[in-house]
Amino acid sequence: MKSSCMRMAAAIAATVIPLTAEAVDYDVQRIDLRPANSPLTNILEINAQGQLLGFTGTGQIGLLTGSTLTTVKLPGAGQIGDLSDNGTALVYYSGSSNGSYASHAYTFSAQHGLAEIRATSSQVVTLTSLPPPVTSSAGHVLMNGSSSWPGTVLSQPDGSFARLPFPANGGATGVNANGVVVGYTTNSGRTSSAAYWSAASGLQPLGNMGGSMAYLLRVTDSGLALGRRAPPVLGQPDSFVYSLASGETRFIDGLTAAEYIDEAGRVYGFSASGEGYAVWDNGELTALDPLVGPATDPDHSYNLADVSSDGRVLITDYRSVAFILRPVPEPGTYVLTGIGLAAGAWGARRRRAA
């Protein structure tokens, strides 16, 4: 009798653990972006702390932490690059000064204010606006140069920097906390190969993934790189996830033009069926548009602005409203988890008593 009860407890616990990992719902927060109702009138970035980065009604760059707003005004027309999980934002501006074109990139946080990144202050790189600078949670800053200062620069957490061997007609698009950089290489702009770089392995091209062009967009701290290939292969997915650890590639069915990936491996993009934004989670799709309802302005559709590392989704309509979709366990999951934990604890007590 005792052994059968213990087996039953183990079976319940084994059943509950996958359900806990897969049963996810979204808590939806609506933000009215009109100046009278929000300190930020345009939100572009969100992180795992729930901090928001955007612009205020007066044109300043604002970092919103709870109800506390920290602002900064750049000398030129300020632009926003990225917001890391540690609360550090990247901001920059470009323009002419004394007859020469220059750009300056800064880190910006509520704790440390504004600090210029040496790679731009030393004129190692003059930034282009696309792709914008990105940062990792460990403090790496990745920047692509312009035609006059070509190449890719990686600023290290200690303040040093180095040029990376991405060719001038290639580019880098993402960096993780381990300093792994992802992007692409090109051959005269006609073909491209997805590629990644690390200090240990150097530049590693991965090929065009069955298309004429392929590139990596983002990389998680756990080593999952999100990529796309073009032109789309008829009847086949265009988005894929490449594992740096195993070297395996998995194409994402039911999703097209993927833009984001979180640490849980969930992928975000457009539904291949044309039903708007969706999230792919281990083969299952969840439509996001129905969670926020129809656009408030028929002339401006919703925009998938950002996804944090823990899966918080930021959707905006550019003008008057933003939505934050936060993944939370479904109520039933809590019940099943409680049953599993209780069963496991009961079994442990029986074993100790024996």
Side-chain angles (χ1 to χ4, degrees):
M1 178 65 179
K2 177 174 67 175
S3 60
S4 63
C5 290
M6 290 174 62
R7 287 194 296 271
M8 181 179 69
I12 293 174
T15 303
V16 168
I17 290 172
L19 288 174
T20 304
E22 296 176 6
V24 178
D25 196 2
Y26 282 99
D27 175 36
V28 181
Q29 176 187 359
R30 184 183 188 276
I31 302 175
D32 187 338
L33 294 177
R34 288 175 295 184
N37 299 307
S38 173
L40 295 177
T41 56
N42 188 8
I43 303 174
L44 301 178
E45 299 283 331
I46 187 172
N47 67 10
Q49 297 185 51
Q51 292 177 299
L52 302 173
L53 181 68
F55 291 99
T56 70
T58 60
Q60 293 180 308
I61 294 172
L63 177 63
L64 187 63
T65 306
S67 59
T68 302
L69 180 69
T70 306
T71 62
V72 65
K73 180 70 174 178
L74 297 183
Q79 300 185 68
I80 289 173
D82 197 12
L83 176 62
S84 72
D85 283 344
N86 64 12
T88 300
L90 295 181
V91 297
Y92 63 103
Y93 75 93
S94 301
S96 297
S97 176
N98 299 322
S100 63
Y101 188 83
S103 59
H104 301 270
Y106 306 83
T107 59
F108 168 55
S109 69
Q111 294 80 15
H112 305 293
L114 197 66
E116 187 164 11
I117 298 171
R118 285 181 55 206
T120 54
S121 61
S122 302
Q123 291 302 297
V124 172
V125 62
T126 298
L127 297 174
T128 57
S129 59
L130 292 174
V134 294
T135 184
S136 77
S137 58
H140 304 86
V141 178
L142 179 66
M143 298 171 285
N144 287 288
S146 67
S147 58
S148 59
W149 292 88
T152 300
V153 170
L154 181 66
S155 177
Q156 305 284 354
D158 63 4
S160 63
F161 51 82
R163 285 189 179 275
L164 302 188
F166 285 86
N169 57 353
T173 54
V175 60
N176 70 9
N178 300 312
V180 177
V181 176
V182 298
Y184 62 100
T185 63
T186 65
N187 178 16
S188 302
R190 296 176 182 174
T191 62
S192 72
S193 168
Y196 72 92
W197 175 92
S198 71
S201 65
L203 186 63
Q204 297 292 321
L206 301 177
N208 56 17
M209 299 297 176
S212 62
M213 305 178 72
Y215 47 97
L216 298 179
L217 291 169
R218 302 175 189 275
V219 59
T220 67
D221 290 348
S222 58
L224 297 177
L226 174 64
R228 280 155 56 179
R229 62 180 176 182
V233 179
L234 184 63
Q236 297 183 25
D238 67 344
S239 303
F240 61 90
V241 174
Y242 175 81
S243 170
L244 298 177
S246 67
E248 296 179 353
T249 300
R250 181 172 184 179
F251 284 91
I252 308 301
D253 291 314
L255 205 65
T256 185
E259 298 181 49
Y260 298 95
I261 184 170
D262 64 24
E263 288 293 338
R266 294 181 291 243
V267 179
Y268 305 77
F270 285 105
S271 168
S273 61
E275 298 177 353
Y277 293 115
V279 53
W280 177 95
D281 186 3
N282 198 28
E284 296 186 4
L285 287 180
T286 300
L288 298 177
D289 286 26
L291 301 178
V292 300
T296 56
D297 185 343
D299 296 327
H300 293 79
S301 59
Y302 286 131
N303 172 51
L304 181 60
D306 196 23
V307 176
S308 68
S309 65
D310 65 343
R312 302 174 197 231
V313 182
L314 173 64
I315 294 178
T316 68
D317 73 351
Y318 296 99
R319 285 191 173 185
S320 60
V321 67
F323 297 91
I324 298 174
L325 282 59
R326 180 176 180 179
V328 294
E330 293 179 350
T333 301
Y334 290 115
V335 175
L336 290 173
T337 303
I339 293 173
L341 292 175
W346 181 83
R349 286 197 299 269
R350 290 294 298 265
R351 288 191 295 273
R352 286 195 299 269

